[in-house]
Amino acid sequence: MPSADRRLSPRRTPRQVRAELTRERILTAAAHVFAEFGYAAGTTNRIAERARVSIGSLYQYFPNKDAILAQLLVRHIDRGRWTEADQLDLSPGTLEATVRALVRDAIDNHDDDPQLLRIMIEEASLSQELLDTIERHGEERIAQVRDLLARHPDVRVGNLGTAAELITFTVEMNIHKLLAAPRTVPVEAVEAVEDELVAMITRYLRGPS
Amino acid sequence: MPSADRRLSPRRTPRQVRAELTRERILTAAAHVFAEFGYAAGTTNRIAERARVSIGSLYQYFPNKDAILAQLLVRHIDRGRWTEADQLDLSPGTLEATVRALVRDAIDNHDDDPQLLRIMIEEASLSQELLDTIERHGEERIAQVRDLLARHPDVRVGNLGTAAELITFTVEMNIHKLLAAPRTVPVEAVEAVEDELVAMITRYLRGPS
DNA sequence: CATTATTGTGAGCAATAGCTCAGCTCTCTG
DNA sequence: CAGAGAGCTGAGCTATTGCTCACAATAATG
């Protein structure tokens, strides 16, 4: 499995609609294939087959396999921007609602492509360029959450930065575990976990009782 | 990459000390190689090379690559049994200490082989037999934690089962994230996260304030 | 020692991966 | 409608993988 070309940028930029369409088909297929087989077993031939496109076409838009995953992740990241932060009620007594909004947001994000995070974790040999992008996005989110905590009057916690990191990661991981499970979890179970998760974080943020 | 033989049990059981030694060398090497390269890129040839053993020897003790990971995981699981549960003080006002013991235990467990969990997550195509073993062990642990929560007078939480699952997973994941990070985290940062994690779970378990 | 059982070796096979390239089809432009 | 370039094809090249097998080396046994 050689991959001499370590570029991530496309090999040829589409100039006709037709081309943009096949490029999109490839990406969609790749998302499905990676989700189903994992990164290593999600072969480029399988992706091409699923996209109903020849393997040659695939390599016209992506210089190598890594670039496909990279594009997928970048897209996932861009889609997951936290935009509703400013519309939140930050008056006293609304902490639980705020936390629930955070949790719900995480759930919505994972509905898109529930398995992508697992693949992200799995693939250790991601390019530095991509890892940086992911890292940057992660810090951005944590900063947003930190800001939110700082604004809210109900929050009484020692280290705001650590708290933001802790709850962001905890929410993301628990939601992922819940939704990426092989068997589909019944709705009431999802709600139960959501409630407990919200309770845990809310009580934490409210500080010592 | 064919692997017709799906057995996980060893191909030949060692009868001389010499054999047991090379078997051990292979496992140690495998742990290192998997940790460094991941499962897919951690080739059997690389493992043999690192163990300073010929590839043939490797396949005398393990029928296939999966079996090596299986053995590694089983060993990890067996080592991580929670045995200090009964020595805990369960009188009122000791909840924080109990939670801290849980967290410390998770830290100790991950000092052994910090990267193994990542590989476990990564490898989707583990045999059913192994998955069952892992699942069983996971449930065992959660049951232990649930039992602990049920006994402790300070715990006031709605659903004990969900709570046990939630905190077990949360602790494990956060500790893993902390210790498996590429750069070594300074001790004070570890302590800070430990404190916040303990605070979060303690306040959660104490119930609504 | 001689014999047998156990352990160790590594060249190389079959399968499969990522990826190329010569040549085709389609769309656009004048 | 003809020429040009954009888009598409898929047989097949090369590298690599998991793994085998015929054989050599070492240890146990009588």
Side-chain angles (χ1 to χ4, degrees), chain B residues 12 15-16 22 54 56-57 61:
Chain B
R12 158 181 271 175
R15 300 176 188 270
Q16 302 176 12
T22 57
S54 91
S57 291
Y61 299 106

Side-chain angles (χ1 to χ4, degrees), chain A residues 39-74:
Chain A
Y39 184 73
T43 72
T44 49
N45 285 289
R46 246 197 273 258
I47 294 170
E49 189 185 15
R50 174 129 194 177
R52 295 170 170 279
V53 152
S54 91
I55 182 66
S57 291
L58 188 151
Y59 278 97
Q60 272 201 325
Y61 299 106
F62 303 96
N64 52 56
K65 192 181 166 182
D66 279 11
I68 302 177
L69 180 60
Q71 192 56 50
L72 237 36
L73 290 176
V74 165

Side-chain angles (χ1 to χ4, degrees), chain B residues 94-163:
Chain B
T94 60
L95 185 56
E96 175 157 348
T98 304
V99 171
R100 195 173 290 272
L102 263 168
V103 172
R104 286 265 165 84
D105 179 64
I107 291 178
D108 292 345
N109 275 354
H110 272 286
D111 277 347
D112 290 344
D113 7 28
Q115 300 269 35
L116 222 55
L117 184 69
R118 181 174 66 75
I119 289 153
M120 231 178 73
I121 297 169
E122 160 187 345
E123 179 56 0
S125 66
L126 291 174
S127 76
Q128 197 54 48
E129 185 187 344
L130 180 55
L131 282 176
D132 288 349
T133 309
I134 293 168
E135 179 82 359
R136 208 179 321 120
H137 175 261
E139 278 168 9
E140 213 172 274
R141 275 219 109 190
I142 288 168
Q144 280 184 325
V145 172
R146 203 199 114 103
D147 205 53
L148 202 72
L149 299 184
R151 274 188 223 276
H152 203 111
D154 293 351
V155 172
R156 280 204 188 77
V157 85
N159 188 332
L160 269 183
T162 313

Side-chain angles (χ1 to χ4, degrees), chain B:
Chain B
M1 299 126 179
S3 44
D5 194 341
R6 292 260 116 242
R7 252 181 314 138
L8 293 176
S9 45
R11 179 158 291 182
R12 158 181 271 175
T13 35
R15 300 176 188 270
Q16 302 176 12
V17 238
R18 183 169 55 129
E20 187 57 51
L21 232 67
T22 57
R23 213 192 97 98
E24 216 56 35
R25 278 230 304 286
I26 292 167
L27 278 174
T28 310
H32 284 137
V33 169
F34 283 155
E36 185 170 357
F37 297 93
Y39 184 74
T43 71
T44 49
N45 285 290
R46 246 198 274 258
I47 293 170
E49 190 185 15
R50 174 129 192 177
R52 294 169 170 282
V53 152
S54 91
I55 182 66
S57 291
L58 188 152
Y59 279 97
Q60 272 202 326
Y61 299 106
F62 303 95
N64 52 54
K65 191 181 167 183
D66 279 11
I68 303 178
L69 180 59
Q71 192 54 51
L72 237 36
L73 289 177
V74 165
R75 184 197 267 193
H76 180 72
I77 287 166
D78 286 346
R79 211 181 280 170
R81 281 247 159 75
W82 171 250
T83 51
E84 309 169 54
D86 15 308
Q87 316 175 24
L88 280 172
D89 184 5
L90 294 183
S91 49
T94 60
L95 185 56
E96 175 157 348
T98 304
V99 171
R100 195 173 290 272
L102 263 168
V103 172
R104 286 265 165 84
D105 179 64
I107 291 178
D108 292 345
N109 275 354
H110 272 286
D111 277 347
D112 290 344
D113 7 28
Q115 300 269 35
L116 222 55
L117 184 69
R118 181 174 66 75
I119 289 153
M120 231 178 73
I121 297 169
E122 160 187 345
E123 179 56 0
S125 66
L126 291 174
S127 76
Q128 197 54 48
E129 185 187 344
L130 180 55
L131 282 176
D132 288 349
T133 309
I134 293 168
E135 179 82 359
R136 208 179 321 120
H137 175 261
E139 278 168 9
E140 213 172 274
R141 275 219 109 190
I142 288 168
Q144 280 184 325
V145 172
R146 203 199 114 103
D147 205 53
L148 202 72
L149 299 184
R151 274 188 223 276
H152 203 111
D154 293 351
V155 172
R156 280 204 188 77
V157 85
N159 188 332
L160 269 183
T162 313
E165 265 185 81
L166 180 64
I167 71 174
T168 305
F169 183 73
T170 298
V171 167
E172 197 157 334
M173 273 322 214
N174 273 290
I175 294 303
H176 175 256
K177 185 209 173 194
L178 198 64
L179 299 183
R183 75 249 179 265
T184 338
V185 189
V187 201
E188 72 251 24
V190 177
E191 282 168 357
V193 174
E194 183 191 308
D195 287 346
E196 294 300 304
L197 195 56
V198 169
M200 177 166 79
I201 292 168
T202 308
R203 286 174 204 163
Y204 165 53
L205 292 176
R206 257 206 272 272
S209 47

